[in-house]
């Protein structure tokens, strides 16, 4: 009996310029004939490539043995037919089976190398994920939560929802949502293992159960389609060089009728009095510095456009200002001090800025701290909140 | 109650988690049933693993291969396919019962024996390199080598076979 052919749930593509053959989706055919055109495409790519052909399987979520055997056969045959050709198979360690399956390839054919794509997903973000920055992320969340616990219900958050917090960082927002809104399920995903380890430890220390922390790539999650009523992604679109890819994934995992909730900054609008001019100069420079590393910390007010272009409806957008008057001013000071350390101490140095520039750059942060601690001062950090509904 | 006896460690009971039963005819009516059942069961049992999403992906990968074995069972037979999942700490036990004529059992017995043999990895690499082998052997060898599975067979009756796979996936995900 011949297998019934169903619409394919995978995609193959050959980028001739970069010599990259990519396979994504779910690859579970009943027979090899279902893959015939893709295998022919791979054979053709191998014939037309010079030097190295990359086989990009980072976004291959599931694959059965039939497909693995067929692909392996084509790759081995291609190397044997053209001894000068090298194949580099690129996999993601997030997909556990892939690392285990493909590790054998170089043993059976030395011209095939297997490379993993892991913590280098978003190298620019490494600045923001080092262990030293983690405590300050908790303080930031504490400060923003004062506002967001009131704002979230206006964007559709209520008890009993299935919630996903994508780019959860150290997971503290997920903990607060878990306590405040009692979701039926909450998944918290991040691509930083150190942040997730911290998140799990905090959850254990506080006896919090029920948050599903998971290691993953926000641009290609293992989560199935249409799973969540409320998908959050906070302070993260602004640090991806292609936020539309993240939004596409948020849209995919959100149930029809569910909402996607994002928060982002516009750093150049950080403000303070006294010493407003110095503060403004520094935060304008922060925006340029992030742009140098392909991150847009001016994204906040652009959120509405991004959500509309992602196909969402009923867009709601508002902004709030975290200030030195929210609780203990020292919290605000600690946050700005951490920013100075990372932005002036690491990022500006990495960009190659002069000592004179860095000194002036640091002064703006110090003036922001001065404003925050001044008895008559005011210091602010503005944040934009936007949400949209996935059409039913 | 099933028990795990390995490396002299005291037997620990496996707790039943989920069971799915359908006729072989219903399974074989649609290839994607294997995928659907594997994903459904994986999502159902993974929520309290240390990384539920990645665990579900890995477990689905293993269970799908087992369901495909049942799908490929003889079409001449009637009978039921029963998939049970049990848990003991970091190990998931899959017991998969499917119709199998007595005359065909040797195929599975040989595949399980080869998958557990000392030179299993060498044989597996030979298969990947192009040597011919029954699909069951390749699948089961892959499960042992890549998932560190422990495989056994049980005969239920004259026309059914139960394949038992202990999958220590939690430590592979962590």
């Amino acid at each position: 009996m011949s297998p019934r052919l169903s619409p394919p749930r995978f995609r193959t593509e050959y980028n001739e310029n970069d010599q990259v053959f990519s396979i994504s989706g779910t690859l579970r055919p009943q027979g090899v004939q279902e893959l015939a055109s893709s295998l022919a495409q791979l054979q053709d790519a191998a014939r037309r490539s010079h030097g190295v052909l990359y086989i990009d399987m980072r976004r291959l979520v599931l694959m059965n043995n039939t497909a693995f055997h067929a692909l392996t056969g084509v790759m081995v045959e291609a190397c044997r037919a053209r001894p000068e050709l090298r194949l580099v198979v690129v996999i993601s360690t997030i997909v556990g089976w892939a690392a285990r399956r493909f590790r054998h390839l170089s043993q059976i054919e030395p011209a095939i190398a297997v490379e993993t794509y892991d913590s280098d997903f978003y190298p620019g973000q490494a600045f923001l994920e080092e262990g030293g920055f983690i405590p300050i992320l908790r303080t930031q969340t504490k400060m923003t939560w004062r506002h967001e616990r009131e704002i979230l219900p206006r964007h559709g958050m209520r008890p009993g929802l299935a919630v996903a917090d994508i780019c959860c960082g150290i997971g503290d927002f997920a903990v607060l949502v878990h306590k405040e809104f009692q979701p039926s399920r909450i998944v918290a995903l991040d691509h930083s293992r150190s942040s997730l380890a911290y998140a799990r430890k905090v959850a254990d220390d506080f006896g919090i159960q029920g948050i599903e922390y998971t290691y993953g790539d926000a641009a290609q999650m293992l989560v199935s389609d249409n799973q969540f009523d409320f998908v959050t992604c906070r302070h993260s679109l602004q640090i991806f060089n292609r936020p539309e890819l993240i939004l596409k994934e948020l849209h995919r995992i959100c149930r029809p009728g569910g909402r996607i909730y994002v928060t982002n900054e516009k750093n150049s609008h950080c403000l303070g009095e006294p010493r407003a001019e110095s503060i403004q100069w520094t935060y304008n420079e922060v925006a340029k510095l992030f742009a140098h590393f392909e991150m847009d910390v001016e994204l906040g007010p652009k959120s509405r456009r991004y959500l509309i272009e992602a196909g969402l409806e009923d867009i709601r957008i508002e902004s709030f200002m975290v200030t030195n008057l929210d609780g203990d001013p020292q919290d605000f000071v600690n946050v700005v001090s951490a920013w100075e350390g990372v932005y002036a101490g690491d990022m500006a140095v990495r960009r190659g800025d002069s000592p004179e520039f860095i000194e002036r750059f640091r002064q703006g942060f110090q003036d922001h701290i001065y404003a925050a601690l001044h008895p008559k001062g005011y210091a602010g950090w503005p944040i934009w909140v936007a949400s949209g509904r996935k059409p039913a | 109650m099933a028990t795990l006896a390995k490396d002299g460690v005291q037997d620990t009971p496996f707790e039943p988690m989920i069971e799915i039963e359908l006729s072989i005819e219903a399974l074989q009516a649609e290839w994607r049933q294997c995928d659907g059942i594997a994903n459904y069961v994986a999502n159902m049992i993974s929520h309290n693993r240390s990384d539920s999403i990645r665990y579900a992906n890995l477990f689905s990968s293993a269970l799908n291969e087992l369901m495909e074995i049942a799908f490929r069972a003889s079409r001449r037979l009637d009978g039921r396919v029963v998939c049970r999942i049990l848990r003991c700490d970091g190990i998931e036990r899959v017991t998969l019962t499917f119709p199998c004529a007595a005359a065909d059992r040797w195929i599975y017995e040989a595949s399980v024996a080869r998958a557990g043999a000392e030179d299993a990895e060498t044989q597996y690499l030979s298969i990947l390199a192009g040597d011919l082998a029954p699909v069951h052997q390749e699948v089961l060898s892959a499960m042992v080598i890549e998932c560190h599975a422990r495989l056994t067979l049980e005969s239920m009756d004259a026309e059914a076979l139960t394949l038992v796979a202990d999958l220590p996936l939690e430590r592979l995900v962590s």
Side-chain angles (χ1 to χ4, degrees), chain A residues 143 328-338 368-370 372-373:
Chain A
M143 294 167 76
D328 185 350
Q330 190 59 44
D331 284 345
F332 196 96
V333 168
N334 291 344
V335 167
V336 174
S337 180
H368 208 196
I369 289 170
Y370 180 82
L373 294 175

Side-chain angles (χ1 to χ4, degrees), chain A residues 65 100-101 103-104, chain B residues 58-69 92 94 96 111-112 115-116 120 124 135-152 163-169 171-172:
Chain A
N65 190 70
R100 312 197 75 78
R101 291 229 92 167
R103 69 197 162 105
H104 299 293
Chain B
L58 188 56
F59 185 83
S60 170
S61 179
L63 183 58
N64 179 68
E65 297 296 350
L66 296 173
M67 292 305 301
E68 290 186 10
I69 287 176
E92 239 70 73
V94 180
L96 183 66
S111 294
V112 168
Y124 177 59
V135 67
H136 301 138
Q137 189 190 329
E138 183 176 350
V139 167
L140 295 175
S141 294
M143 205 160 281
V144 169
I145 291 159
E146 291 158 6
C147 297
H148 302 173
R150 179 174 172 267
L151 302 175
T152 51
L163 175 60
V164 180
D166 287 344
L167 302 165
L169 303 183
R171 68 186 161 90
L172 302 185

